[in-house]
Amino acid sequence: MRFQVLPHTLNEALPLIYMWEIYEPSGGLVGRYVGKAKSGATRPLRHYTRNVVNILLSKPYRKTNPTGYRRVHLALAEADRKGHQITLQFLCNIAFDENINELERKYIRAYGCSGRETWQLNA
């Protein structure tokens, strides 16, 4: 999967909140997803790429859950197929006294990532 990591000053080894965005060539927003990574940037950097590659190769998500790909995985795979611009932005690190789930929900609301629009990829 081809994507650009936007410049940032966060510590990628610490827990963080991240956002995927997909844009068509004309600049229109196709998809936006906010997620959390308790172990740092490895999750968005490697796991999403693996899932997209597996989709493009028609491989199952898991043996016990072959159709378990989430909406964001499918949207990223479709964007890669179409040559759309995909960006990954690290939004914030999580302090030891912050609740990562609450902070993720805050950013999902702030960026409007949950809803019925096709670009809203948080289910």
Side-chain angles (χ1 to χ4, degrees):
M1 176 175 76
R2 296 162 299 202
F3 63 93
Q4 175 187 10
V5 178
L6 298 181
H8 65 88
T9 58
L10 301 180
N11 185 336
E12 292 185 18
L14 296 176
L16 52 80
I17 302 294
Y18 58 88
M19 180 171 62
W20 288 104
E21 288 187 304
I22 303 166
Y23 292 92
E24 57 191 6
S26 65
L29 180 66
V30 175
R32 183 180 288 149
Y33 175 84
V34 167
K36 63 181 179 278
K38 293 179 183 179
S39 298
T42 300
R43 177 181 172 87
L45 290 172
R46 293 194 187 142
H47 295 198
Y48 283 82
T49 299
R50 181 194 64 221
N51 286 333
V52 168
V53 168
N54 285 342
I55 290 169
L56 296 174
L57 294 173
S58 300
K59 291 185 175 182
Y61 180 69
R62 302 276 189 270
K63 288 180 183 179
T64 58
N65 184 13
T67 60
Y69 292 108
R70 291 180 288 131
R71 190 172 173 184
V72 63
H73 300 141
L74 299 170
L76 289 168
E78 184 66 15
D80 191 68
R81 272 190 206 107
K82 292 181 175 180
H84 289 172
Q85 179 188 7
I86 301 171
T87 61
L88 174 61
Q89 181 177 2
F90 297 122
L91 300 174
C92 71
N93 283 119
I94 311 300
F96 74 93
D97 62 341
E98 291 181 299
N99 182 308
I100 193 169
N101 297 317
E102 288 177 12
L103 206 50
E104 179 191 34
R105 285 190 294 272
K106 173 186 164 188
Y107 278 97
I108 288 169
R109 282 190 306 275
Y111 285 99
C113 298
S114 183
R116 295 184 181 179
E117 300 296 327
T118 57
W119 63 268
Q120 295 171 313
L121 300 178
N122 287 87

